[in-house]
Amino acid sequence: MDNTPDHCRVATTMEMIIGKWKIAIMLNLIHYGTMRFSELRHVMPGVTQKVLTSQLRDLEQEGIVKRVVYPQVPPKVEYSMTEYGMSLQTILEMMHEWGKAHLQRKTQMLFSKDTDNQNDKNN
Amino acid sequence: MDNTPDHCRVATTMEMIIGKWKIAIMLNLIHYGTMRFSELRHVMPGVTQKVLTSQLRDLEQEGIVKRVVYPQVPPKVEYSMTEYGMSLQTILEMMHEWGKAHLQRKTQMLFSKDTDNQNDKNN
DNA sequence: CGGGATCCCAACCGATACTG
DNA sequence: CAGTATCGGTTGGGATCCCG
């Protein structure tokens, strides 16, 4: 009863996950808890304000991230995962682990151009 | 010791997973096993040959998908998950489940514009 | 049957400048 | 501090045609 090609529909659903920085944002929010905008920027060098803002808006609209604005003179905005967003925690952490392993794998493959003559100095 | 912002690096790693159809491809290959090119197209209406081919090439290059060409007059090419690719199975299936739930959630939210006064004509 | 070659558009992403 | 506005580059994805 699950043989119907709804795999495609699900992939479509996961479009909200894609977006170059969304995964990183969620991982950081899960890891650090509530974070200010500048803190997010700090742990994610390489992302611009505009992009970070838009990605946060997307996640907010999906109900995954909560945005709290403190109306004070130096603006202060805090982001955190919603209850619903936390339902992604396991998946995200598994992706994190897999991604790390995958990086290592790719790095190792760079050092094994010739296969077996280096047995003690493969970095 | 894991406080360093490698969350970003991992997100970068997951770039190979993103791509509008890669998740669907992998889910189908896991679900159905070995599949021919045309079979993949069949279970994924909406994807063109070019895109499907390129996404398969990406996955193949990452060592996630195996491509076997049978040199015969009507060409025959079979795709399947590699051993390494199967290490993603749990993640992919969790994404599948979450995606389905997320779709339902969004659908339900469309029917709850006003919360409780419409019980027979909610369109 | 499987897919390469081309053209093209839309979306995403980045840099910079400006604002409450 | 936390954005918005604008412009522009790059890329992914789609349509169509053609080939072994």
Side-chain angles (χ1 to χ4, degrees):
Chain A
M1 58 290 285
D2 193 276
N3 295 345
T4 52
D6 65 344
H7 299 124
C8 324
R9 301 184 57 78
V10 172
T12 303
T13 303
M14 297 310 280
E15 281 177 17
M16 80 211 41
I17 299 303
I18 76 178
K20 198 168 179 179
W21 301 97
K22 292 204 181 74
I23 296 174
I25 290 172
M26 292 186 283
L27 279 171
N28 278 304
L29 286 181
I30 288 175
H31 188 81
Y32 293 108
T34 300
M35 296 182 80
R36 298 186 59 172
F37 186 79
S38 51
E39 291 174 327
L40 276 169
R41 284 194 63 188
H42 185 248
V43 295
M44 286 187 288
V47 63
T48 58
Q49 312 94 314
K50 176 201 162 186
V51 174
L52 180 54
T53 300
S54 73
Q55 307 264 305
L56 282 168
R57 290 290 179 283
D58 292 347
L59 293 173
E60 184 188 2
Q61 197 169 5
E62 296 292 339
I64 293 172
V65 163
K66 183 172 59 178
R67 178 170 177 264
V68 179
V69 183
Y70 295 88
Q72 53 192 41
V73 185
K76 178 182 174 185
V77 181
E78 284 184 344
Y79 293 93
S80 59
M81 296 292 281
T82 63
E83 197 76 22
Y84 180 62
M86 288 306 284
S87 66
L88 280 166
Q89 179 172 13
T90 306
I91 295 177
L92 289 167
E93 286 176 347
M94 288 185 72
M95 289 173 71
H96 186 211
E97 291 306 315
W98 191 91
K100 280 202 297 187
H102 188 73
L103 273 179
Q104 289 182 9
R105 179 189 144 102
K106 292 185 73 170
T107 304
Q108 287 172 5
M109 290 175 70
L110 289 178
F111 286 98
S112 58
K113 289 304 178 105
D114 19 31
T115 29
D116 59 336
N117 63 340
Q118 83 291 30
N119 40 10
D120 50 352
K121 55 176 287 295
N122 50 3
N123 196 352
Chain B
M1 58 291 285
D2 194 277
N3 295 345
T4 51
D6 65 345
H7 299 123
C8 324
R9 302 184 57 79
V10 170
T12 303
T13 304
M14 298 310 281
E15 280 178 17
M16 80 212 42
I17 299 303
I18 77 176
K20 197 169 178 179
W21 301 97
K22 293 203 181 75
I23 296 175
I25 290 172
M26 291 186 283
L27 279 171
N28 279 304
L29 287 181
I30 288 175
H31 189 81
Y32 293 107
T34 300
M35 297 181 80
R36 298 186 61 172
F37 186 80
S38 51
E39 291 174 326
L40 276 170
R41 284 194 63 189
H42 184 249
V43 297
M44 286 186 288
V47 62
T48 58
Q49 312 92 314
K50 175 202 163 186
V51 174
L52 180 54
T53 301
S54 73
Q55 307 264 304
L56 283 167
R57 290 289 179 285
D58 292 346
L59 293 173
E60 183 189 1
Q61 196 169 5
E62 297 292 340
I64 293 173
V65 162
K66 183 173 59 180
R67 178 171 179 264
V68 180
V69 183
Y70 295 87
Q72 53 193 40
V73 186
K76 177 181 173 184
V77 181
E78 284 185 345
Y79 293 94
S80 58
M81 296 292 281
T82 63
E83 197 78 21
Y84 181 61
M86 288 306 283
S87 66
L88 279 166
Q89 179 172 14
T90 306
I91 294 177
L92 290 167
E93 287 176 346
M94 289 186 70
M95 290 174 70
H96 186 211
E97 292 305 315
W98 190 91
K100 280 202 297 187
H102 188 73
L103 273 178
Q104 289 181 9
R105 179 188 143 102
K106 292 184 73 170
T107 304
Q108 287 172 4
M109 291 176 68
L110 289 178
F111 286 98
S112 58
K113 290 304 178 100
D114 21 29
T115 28
D116 59 338
N117 65 337
Q118 87 292 28
N119 38 12
D120 51 352
K121 57 174 289 293
N122 50 2
N123 196 352

